[in-house]
Short mmCIF file of all heavy atoms in Angstrom, two decimals:
data_model
loop_
_atom_site.label_atom_id
_atom_site.label_comp_id
_atom_site.label_asym_id
_atom_site.label_seq_id
_atom_site.Cartn_x
_atom_site.Cartn_y
_atom_site.Cartn_z
N GLY A 318 -118.56 44.64 30.75
CA GLY A 318 -117.44 45.09 29.93
C GLY A 318 -116.51 43.95 29.56
O GLY A 318 -116.03 43.84 28.43
N ALA A 319 -116.21 43.06 30.53
CA ALA A 319 -115.29 41.95 30.27
C ALA A 319 -115.84 40.98 29.24
O ALA A 319 -115.16 40.55 28.32
CB ALA A 319 -114.98 41.21 31.57
N THR A 320 -117.13 40.65 29.39
CA THR A 320 -117.71 39.70 28.43
C THR A 320 -117.86 40.33 27.06
O THR A 320 -117.81 39.65 26.03
CB THR A 320 -119.07 39.22 28.94
OG1 THR A 320 -119.89 40.36 29.26
CG2 THR A 320 -118.91 38.37 30.19
N GLY A 321 -118.01 41.63 27.04
CA GLY A 321 -118.06 42.31 25.74
C GLY A 321 -116.74 42.18 25.01
O GLY A 321 -116.69 41.90 23.80
N GLN A 322 -115.62 42.36 25.74
CA GLN A 322 -114.31 42.18 25.13
C GLN A 322 -114.08 40.74 24.71
O GLN A 322 -113.51 40.46 23.66
CB GLN A 322 -113.22 42.62 26.11
CG GLN A 322 -113.27 44.11 26.45
CD GLN A 322 -112.22 44.48 27.48
OE1 GLN A 322 -111.48 43.62 27.94
NE2 GLN A 322 -112.17 45.76 27.83
N LEU A 323 -114.55 39.80 25.57
CA LEU A 323 -114.41 38.39 25.22
C LEU A 323 -115.17 38.06 23.94
O LEU A 323 -114.70 37.34 23.07
CB LEU A 323 -114.91 37.51 26.38
CG LEU A 323 -114.90 36.00 26.12
CD1 LEU A 323 -113.49 35.51 25.86
CD2 LEU A 323 -115.52 35.27 27.31
N ALA A 324 -116.35 38.59 23.82
CA ALA A 324 -117.15 38.34 22.62
C ALA A 324 -116.46 38.89 21.38
O ALA A 324 -116.42 38.25 20.33
CB ALA A 324 -118.54 38.98 22.77
N GLN A 325 -115.91 40.12 21.50
CA GLN A 325 -115.24 40.72 20.36
C GLN A 325 -114.00 39.91 19.96
O GLN A 325 -113.77 39.64 18.78
CB GLN A 325 -114.83 42.15 20.70
CG GLN A 325 -114.16 42.88 19.53
CD GLN A 325 -113.80 44.31 19.91
OE1 GLN A 325 -114.01 44.72 21.04
NE2 GLN A 325 -113.25 45.04 18.97
N GLY A 326 -113.16 39.49 20.99
CA GLY A 326 -111.96 38.70 20.69
C GLY A 326 -112.30 37.35 20.10
O GLY A 326 -111.64 36.87 19.18
N ALA A 327 -113.35 36.72 20.63
CA ALA A 327 -113.73 35.41 20.10
C ALA A 327 -114.21 35.50 18.67
O ALA A 327 -113.93 34.64 17.84
CB ALA A 327 -114.82 34.80 20.99
N SER A 328 -114.91 36.57 18.37
CA SER A 328 -115.39 36.75 17.00
C SER A 328 -114.24 36.94 16.04
O SER A 328 -114.20 36.37 14.95
CB SER A 328 -116.35 37.95 16.94
OG SER A 328 -117.47 37.74 17.76
N GLN A 329 -113.26 37.77 16.45
CA GLN A 329 -112.10 37.98 15.59
C GLN A 329 -111.30 36.69 15.42
O GLN A 329 -110.84 36.38 14.31
CB GLN A 329 -111.20 39.07 16.19
CG GLN A 329 -111.86 40.45 16.19
CD GLN A 329 -110.98 41.49 16.87
OE1 GLN A 329 -109.94 41.16 17.43
NE2 GLN A 329 -111.40 42.74 16.82
N ALA A 330 -111.11 35.94 16.52
CA ALA A 330 -110.37 34.68 16.42
C ALA A 330 -111.10 33.70 15.52
O ALA A 330 -110.49 32.97 14.74
CB ALA A 330 -110.18 34.06 17.81
N GLY A 331 -112.41 33.68 15.64
CA GLY A 331 -113.18 32.77 14.81
C GLY A 331 -113.05 33.08 13.33
O GLY A 331 -113.04 32.18 12.50
N SER A 332 -112.91 34.36 12.98
CA SER A 332 -112.80 34.74 11.57
C SER A 332 -111.41 34.45 11.01
O SER A 332 -111.25 34.29 9.80
CB SER A 332 -113.13 36.23 11.39
OG SER A 332 -112.21 37.01 12.12
N GLN A 333 -110.36 34.40 11.87
CA GLN A 333 -109.00 34.23 11.40
C GLN A 333 -108.46 32.82 11.61
O GLN A 333 -107.47 32.44 10.99
CB GLN A 333 -108.06 35.21 12.11
CG GLN A 333 -108.39 36.67 11.84
CD GLN A 333 -107.49 37.61 12.61
OE1 GLN A 333 -106.58 37.16 13.31
NE2 GLN A 333 -107.72 38.89 12.47
N ILE A 334 -109.05 32.04 12.51
CA ILE A 334 -108.46 30.78 12.89
C ILE A 334 -108.39 29.78 11.75
O ILE A 334 -107.46 28.98 11.66
CB ILE A 334 -109.26 30.17 14.07
CG1 ILE A 334 -108.49 29.01 14.68
CG2 ILE A 334 -110.64 29.72 13.61
CD1 ILE A 334 -107.20 29.41 15.29
N GLY A 335 -109.32 29.81 10.83
CA GLY A 335 -109.31 28.86 9.72
C GLY A 335 -108.08 29.02 8.85
O GLY A 335 -107.34 28.08 8.60
N ALA A 336 -107.84 30.27 8.42
CA ALA A 336 -106.68 30.53 7.56
C ALA A 336 -105.38 30.28 8.30
O ALA A 336 -104.43 29.70 7.75
CB ALA A 336 -106.73 31.96 7.03
N GLU A 337 -105.30 30.75 9.56
CA GLU A 337 -104.07 30.59 10.31
C GLU A 337 -103.78 29.12 10.60
O GLU A 337 -102.64 28.69 10.61
CB GLU A 337 -104.15 31.37 11.63
CG GLU A 337 -104.21 32.86 11.46
CD GLU A 337 -102.98 33.42 10.79
OE1 GLU A 337 -101.90 32.80 10.97
OE2 GLU A 337 -103.09 34.42 10.08
N THR A 338 -104.81 28.33 10.85
CA THR A 338 -104.61 26.90 11.10
C THR A 338 -104.04 26.21 9.87
O THR A 338 -103.13 25.38 9.96
CB THR A 338 -105.94 26.25 11.50
OG1 THR A 338 -106.44 26.88 12.67
CG2 THR A 338 -105.75 24.76 11.76
N THR A 339 -104.56 26.57 8.72
CA THR A 339 -104.02 25.99 7.47
C THR A 339 -102.56 26.34 7.28
O THR A 339 -101.72 25.50 6.93
CB THR A 339 -104.85 26.49 6.28
OG1 THR A 339 -106.22 26.14 6.49
CG2 THR A 339 -104.35 25.85 4.99
N LYS A 340 -102.23 27.63 7.52
CA LYS A 340 -100.83 28.05 7.41
C LYS A 340 -99.95 27.32 8.42
O LYS A 340 -98.83 26.93 8.11
CB LYS A 340 -100.71 29.56 7.60
CG LYS A 340 -101.36 30.39 6.50
CD LYS A 340 -101.20 31.87 6.78
CE LYS A 340 -101.85 32.72 5.70
NZ LYS A 340 -101.70 34.17 5.97
N SER A 341 -100.46 27.15 9.65
CA SER A 341 -99.69 26.49 10.68
C SER A 341 -99.40 25.04 10.32
O SER A 341 -98.31 24.52 10.54
CB SER A 341 -100.42 26.56 12.02
OG SER A 341 -100.58 27.90 12.43
N LEU A 342 -100.37 24.37 9.76
CA LEU A 342 -100.17 22.98 9.35
C LEU A 342 -99.12 22.88 8.26
O LEU A 342 -98.26 21.99 8.27
CB LEU A 342 -101.50 22.38 8.87
CG LEU A 342 -102.55 22.14 9.96
CD1 LEU A 342 -103.83 21.65 9.33
CD2 LEU A 342 -102.03 21.16 11.00
N ASP A 343 -99.16 23.80 7.30
CA ASP A 343 -98.14 23.81 6.25
C ASP A 343 -96.76 24.07 6.85
O ASP A 343 -95.76 23.43 6.49
CB ASP A 343 -98.46 24.88 5.20
CG ASP A 343 -99.73 24.54 4.42
OD1 ASP A 343 -100.10 23.34 4.41
OD2 ASP A 343 -100.33 25.46 3.85
N GLY A 344 -96.70 25.04 7.78
CA GLY A 344 -95.42 25.35 8.42
C GLY A 344 -94.89 24.18 9.23
O GLY A 344 -93.69 23.89 9.22
N LEU A 345 -95.77 23.48 9.96
CA LEU A 345 -95.34 22.32 10.72
C LEU A 345 -94.78 21.24 9.81
O LEU A 345 -93.76 20.62 10.10
CB LEU A 345 -96.50 21.77 11.54
CG LEU A 345 -96.88 22.51 12.82
CD1 LEU A 345 -98.12 21.89 13.42
CD2 LEU A 345 -95.73 22.49 13.81
N SER A 346 -95.43 21.02 8.68
CA SER A 346 -94.96 19.99 7.75
C SER A 346 -93.59 20.35 7.19
O SER A 346 -92.70 19.50 7.10
CB SER A 346 -95.98 19.83 6.62
OG SER A 346 -97.23 19.43 7.13
N LYS A 347 -93.40 21.62 6.82
CA LYS A 347 -92.11 22.03 6.27
C LYS A 347 -91.02 21.95 7.33
O LYS A 347 -89.89 21.51 7.07
CB LYS A 347 -92.21 23.46 5.73
CG LYS A 347 -93.11 23.58 4.50
CD LYS A 347 -93.18 25.02 4.02
CE LYS A 347 -94.08 25.14 2.78
NZ LYS A 347 -94.18 26.55 2.32
N ALA A 348 -91.31 22.41 8.55
CA ALA A 348 -90.32 22.36 9.62
C ALA A 348 -89.95 20.92 9.95
O ALA A 348 -88.78 20.59 10.17
CB ALA A 348 -90.85 23.07 10.86
N ALA A 349 -90.95 20.05 10.00
CA ALA A 349 -90.67 18.65 10.30
C ALA A 349 -89.78 18.03 9.22
O ALA A 349 -88.82 17.33 9.52
CB ALA A 349 -91.99 17.87 10.39
N LYS A 350 -90.06 18.34 7.96
CA LYS A 350 -89.25 17.81 6.86
C LYS A 350 -87.82 18.29 6.95
O LYS A 350 -86.87 17.51 6.78
CB LYS A 350 -89.88 18.21 5.53
CG LYS A 350 -89.14 17.64 4.32
CD LYS A 350 -89.84 18.03 3.03
CE LYS A 350 -89.09 17.45 1.82
NZ LYS A 350 -89.76 17.84 0.55
N ALA A 351 -87.65 19.60 7.23
CA ALA A 351 -86.30 20.16 7.32
C ALA A 351 -85.51 19.55 8.47
O ALA A 351 -84.33 19.20 8.34
CB ALA A 351 -86.37 21.67 7.47
N LEU A 352 -86.15 19.39 9.63
CA LEU A 352 -85.46 18.83 10.79
C LEU A 352 -85.13 17.36 10.59
O LEU A 352 -84.09 16.88 11.04
CB LEU A 352 -86.31 19.02 12.05
CG LEU A 352 -86.46 20.47 12.53
CD1 LEU A 352 -87.43 20.54 13.69
CD2 LEU A 352 -85.11 21.03 12.93
N ILE A 353 -86.01 16.63 9.93
CA ILE A 353 -85.73 15.22 9.65
C ILE A 353 -84.53 15.09 8.72
O ILE A 353 -83.66 14.23 8.90
CB ILE A 353 -86.97 14.53 9.06
CG1 ILE A 353 -88.08 14.44 10.14
CG2 ILE A 353 -86.63 13.15 8.53
CD1 ILE A 353 -89.39 13.91 9.62
N GLU A 354 -84.45 15.94 7.69
CA GLU A 354 -83.31 15.93 6.79
C GLU A 354 -82.03 16.28 7.55
O GLU A 354 -80.97 15.70 7.33
CB GLU A 354 -83.52 16.92 5.64
CG GLU A 354 -84.62 16.49 4.67
CD GLU A 354 -84.26 15.19 3.97
OE1 GLU A 354 -83.07 14.97 3.70
OE2 GLU A 354 -85.18 14.38 3.71
N LEU A 355 -82.11 17.25 8.46
CA LEU A 355 -80.96 17.62 9.28
C LEU A 355 -80.54 16.46 10.16
O LEU A 355 -79.35 16.25 10.40
CB LEU A 355 -81.28 18.84 10.14
CG LEU A 355 -80.16 19.36 11.05
CD1 LEU A 355 -78.94 19.77 10.24
CD2 LEU A 355 -80.66 20.52 11.88
N GLY A 356 -81.49 15.70 10.65
CA GLY A 356 -81.17 14.58 11.51
C GLY A 356 -80.38 13.49 10.80
O GLY A 356 -79.69 12.71 11.42
N LYS A 357 -80.47 13.43 9.45
CA LYS A 357 -79.71 12.44 8.70
C LYS A 357 -78.25 12.83 8.57
O LYS A 357 -77.40 11.99 8.30
CB LYS A 357 -80.33 12.27 7.31
CG LYS A 357 -81.75 11.74 7.35
CD LYS A 357 -82.33 11.67 5.94
CE LYS A 357 -83.77 11.17 5.97
NZ LYS A 357 -84.36 11.13 4.60
N ALA A 358 -77.92 14.10 8.75
CA ALA A 358 -76.54 14.59 8.57
C ALA A 358 -75.80 14.58 9.90
O ALA A 358 -75.40 15.61 10.42
CB ALA A 358 -76.56 15.99 7.98
N LYS A 359 -75.60 13.42 10.47
CA LYS A 359 -74.99 13.33 11.80
C LYS A 359 -73.50 13.63 11.78
O LYS A 359 -72.90 13.85 12.82
CB LYS A 359 -75.24 11.94 12.38
CG LYS A 359 -76.71 11.67 12.65
CD LYS A 359 -76.92 10.33 13.27
CE LYS A 359 -78.38 10.09 13.63
NZ LYS A 359 -79.28 10.19 12.49
#
Side-chain angles (χ1 to χ4, degrees):
T320 52
Q322 295 177 359
L323 177 62
Q325 182 179 2
S328 299
Q329 293 176 354
S332 62
Q333 297 177 2
I334 192 64
E337 294 298 330
T338 301
T339 303
K340 293 180 181 180
S341 298
L342 290 176
D343 294 339
L345 282 175
S346 299
K347 293 179 180 179
K350 183 178 180 180
L352 291 175
I353 292 174
E354 291 297 325
L355 180 60
K357 298 177 181 179
K359 295 182 176 58

